[in-house]
Amino acid sequence: MASSTSMEAAGLTLPFLILTFLTIAAASSTNQIQILNAERRIDLSSHIVKVFLTLKVENVGTTPASEIVLAFPPAQADHLALVKAQAAIGKKKKKSYVHLDANPTELPDAPNGTKYFSISLLNPLSSGETATLEVLYILTHSLEPFPAEISQSESQLVYFRDSALILSPYHVKQQTTFLKTPSTKVESFTRVEPSKLAGRELKYGPYEDHPPYSFSPVIVHLENNSPFAVVEELLREVEISHWGNIQITEHYKLVHAGARHKGVFSRVEYQSRPSFSGTSSFKHLLASLPPRVHSVYYRDDIGNISSSHLRSDYRKSELEIEPRYPLFGGWKATFVIGYGLPLEDFLFESPDGKRYLNFSFGCPLAETVVDKLTIKVVLPEGSKDPSAVVPFPVEQRLETKYSYLDVVGRTVLVLENKNVVPEHITPFQVYYTFKPIFMLAEPLMLASVFFLFFMACLAYLHTDLSIRK
């Protein structure tokens, strides 16, 4: 009996010891780093909030440090779209930047709802050494319209909530925050001395010697009439044909996510006073398409929309589209953009014999947020072993699509991601194997049908169906 009791005690003690060890290790890793200087620049000129953070860190511990941890408050964690980091190497004119991996992580002693990202250093930071990091993180749906409804002639005002102090698991010796506003019209802002508003820049700090997880909430009420263009759902279908063409079809569900429009819309006032009426609305969007694009169309449920302009050269193509009506806050539009591309510009063969598609991820429309992006890569019939290489985490799955003259169907690789911003527009690759003999399947099928039809006609013509003897 005593033996079983001691075994149970040992079973309970082991997990406790492991948890205690992890907690002490995490605490020691955060205690051995301090931030000598932090400069944060928040760009509020668009509805996509971009934050540029420069950190000068020092290892004050006794063991080398291989990572730096970033902390985000719960209010920002749900709106975080992207985190990028790079290290500055050299000084002044010889300075260069090297990309660093930034991945989500967890700390055992974290405050509730705090989200962490771990930045892996190129080389471990020895005791007493310093390093400078450049971090870019992007927030979506972080500007709250207030008032929530405006008339056609009113400007759009928004709230932005953050902290005058940088949330960090490290001790911060000195820090400063700059906010860039779209205009000089700032209704109000929380004052945390020292703070200063000059023109289009609001400055908080410098603040000195703040312990870990210091937080000082601030609210800025400012004017922002930039188009709050949000694509609630975007489906991009990339269909590969080995006969020389790639067909792209994009289905958009677009909404103006700014302050909702109230009252009656007057088109006369909108056209006669464009600088005062509907300043937060938008009536055209710019889509960046690949070069050598052809067979471009733009339509909705009613039919073709002729209010579009295509500019193309050997470097890029730009499609300017206009919905059937200007979009005010809360208004929506649904449309389809389609175009063709030459196969040789995007399909290549790898050294191991596989074929791969090299295409761009993200949304072609400028300055838009995509709540849900789905990319379907339709491979030729007979393709096998598809795999995708994407520079950030996405959901993947396989489907089957049947088209004209298909027998077993075409393999479709589906990629899904949420909270997509323009910085997500990067190349991705889809690898697959394909035997050239499958290219003869459809021509042989057509030839067989015509041959059987011809033989049936001959048999009919040479058959005597009369009842006379």
Side-chain angles (χ1 to χ4, degrees):
M1 185 70 178
S3 176
S4 62
T5 305
S6 62
M7 290 178 63
E8 291 178 359
L12 294 173
T13 304
L14 183 60
F16 177 76
L17 290 176
I18 295 176
L19 180 61
T20 304
F21 174 76
L22 292 176
T23 304
I24 294 174
S28 62
S29 63
T30 56
N31 290 336
Q32 70 176 356
I33 295 293
Q34 76 169 352
I35 299 177
L36 298 179
N37 186 47
E39 182 180 283
R40 182 175 53 164
R41 294 187 175 272
I42 305 175
D43 188 355
L44 303 177
S45 57
S46 169
H47 70 114
I48 303 174
V49 179
K50 300 178 182 179
V51 183
F52 302 89
L53 180 63
T54 303
L55 300 175
K56 185 177 182 180
V57 298
E58 180 186 17
N59 186 355
V60 294
T62 57
T63 59
S66 59
E67 63 179 14
I68 302 296
V69 177
L70 301 178
F72 297 93
Q76 293 183 352
D78 296 334
H79 303 290
L80 193 62
L82 185 70
V83 177
K84 287 185 176 181
Q86 57 186 8
I89 300 177
K91 295 182 179 180
K92 296 183 180 180
K93 295 183 178 180
K94 295 183 179 180
K95 181 181 291 187
S96 61
Y97 295 93
V98 180
H99 173 75
L100 301 176
D101 292 332
N103 299 303
T105 188
E106 294 181 359
L107 293 182
D109 57 344
N112 291 335
T114 304
K115 187 173 183 179
Y116 295 93
F117 272 78
S118 172
I119 301 177
S120 301
L121 300 177
L122 287 177
N123 300 306
L125 197 65
S126 301
S127 177
E129 288 186 344
T130 61
T132 302
L133 307 180
E134 302 278 351
V135 179
L136 165 66
Y137 62 91
I138 298 177
L139 304 171
T140 61
H141 302 289
S142 294
L143 298 180
E144 177 190 351
F146 187 83
E149 295 183 351
I150 58 175
S151 64
Q152 183 174 335
S153 59
E154 290 180 293
S155 295
Q156 180 174 258
L157 300 176
V158 297
Y159 276 144
F160 176 70
R161 293 177 169 85
D162 206 331
S163 170
L165 302 175
I166 299 172
L167 183 67
S168 176
Y170 308 120
H171 178 88
V172 184
K173 291 186 69 66
Q174 188 177 42
Q175 58 181 303
T176 310
T177 297
F178 300 89
L179 285 85
K180 178 184 177 183
T181 60
S183 66
T184 57
K185 187 176 180 180
V186 176
E187 297 290 316
S188 62
F189 64 93
T190 306
R191 297 185 180 274
V192 181
E193 297 300 333
S195 58
K196 179 182 179 182
L197 175 63
R200 296 175 54 192
E201 185 177 86
L202 175 60
K203 179 182 178 181
Y204 282 102
Y207 305 112
E208 296 183 354
D209 289 324
H210 281 276
Y213 298 109
S214 296
F215 198 79
S216 178
V218 296
I219 300 178
V220 183
H221 194 201
L222 66 151
E223 181 186 58
N224 190 328
N225 288 317
S226 63
F228 278 41
V230 175
V231 180
E232 293 181 323
E233 189 172 349
L234 170 57
L235 171 60
R236 301 184 72 191
E237 188 174 83
V238 183
E239 186 169 351
I240 302 174
S241 172
H242 283 171
W243 294 100
N245 187 62
I246 297 179
Q247 182 63 38
I248 313 296
T249 308
E250 301 172 349
H251 301 263
Y252 291 86
K253 292 183 179 179
L254 181 69
V255 64
H256 190 309
R260 295 187 301 274
H261 176 73
K262 69 176 181 180
V264 180
F265 169 63
S266 172
R267 185 172 287 275
V268 175
E269 180 183 352
Y270 184 80
Q271 294 180 342
S272 60
R273 304 176 61 195
S275 58
F276 299 98
S277 178
T279 53
S280 63
S281 67
F282 58 92
K283 59 181 180 179
H284 62 82
L285 293 167
L286 186 65
S288 297
L289 306 181
R292 301 179 63 189
V293 67
H294 63 84
S295 306
V296 181
Y297 63 86
Y298 166 48
R299 63 170 182 250
D300 58 8
D301 293 337
I302 299 176
N304 186 62
I305 305 176
S306 59
S307 56
S308 61
H309 308 281
L310 177 65
R311 298 183 294 270
S312 181
D313 56 30
Y314 68 94
R315 293 177 299 175
K316 63 178 180 179
S317 302
E318 292 182 341
L319 177 66
E320 186 180 47
I321 61 175
E322 293 185 16
R324 294 186 181 273
Y325 46 85
L327 290 182
F328 286 81
W331 292 14
K332 299 182 178 182
T334 304
F335 55 89
V336 179
I337 297 177
Y339 51 92
L341 296 169
L343 184 69
E344 61 269 18
D345 291 354
F346 300 93
L347 191 68
F348 309 94
E349 187 171 350
S350 62
D352 59 357
K354 287 188 175 182
R355 306 190 184 201
Y356 68 94
L357 171 76
N358 187 48
F359 205 67
S360 63
F361 198 87
C363 175
L365 297 181
E367 288 300 315
T368 56
V369 175
V370 182
D371 290 339
K372 180 182 179 182
L373 171 64
T374 303
I375 298 180
K376 294 187 176 183
V377 181
V378 184
L379 303 176
E381 191 176 26
S383 302
K384 296 181 179 180
D385 303 324
S387 62
V389 178
V390 188
F392 35 79
V394 296
E395 296 182 8
Q396 302 185 29
R397 68 175 187 273
L398 293 178
E399 294 180 354
T400 302
K401 177 183 178 180
Y402 290 90
S403 186
Y404 302 105
L405 303 177
D406 288 344
V407 178
V408 297
R410 305 185 182 188
T411 301
V412 181
L413 181 63
V414 183
L415 308 176
E416 288 187 354
N417 200 7
K418 296 180 179 180
N419 214 14
V420 178
V421 292
E423 283 70 17
H424 280 112
I425 301 179
T426 54
F428 74 98
Q429 295 77 37
V430 174
Y431 290 83
Y432 63 96
T433 58
F434 182 81
K435 295 181 179 180
I437 190 66
F438 283 101
M439 293 187 66
L440 300 177
E442 292 181 359
L444 288 176
M445 185 183 300
L446 287 174
S448 300
V449 170
F450 280 112
F451 176 75
L452 293 176
F453 177 75
F454 178 72
M455 294 301 294
C457 291
L458 285 178
Y460 175 77
L461 291 175
H462 289 79
T463 302
D464 187 5
L465 300 177
S466 62
I467 60 175
R468 291 180 299 175
K469 294 183 179 178

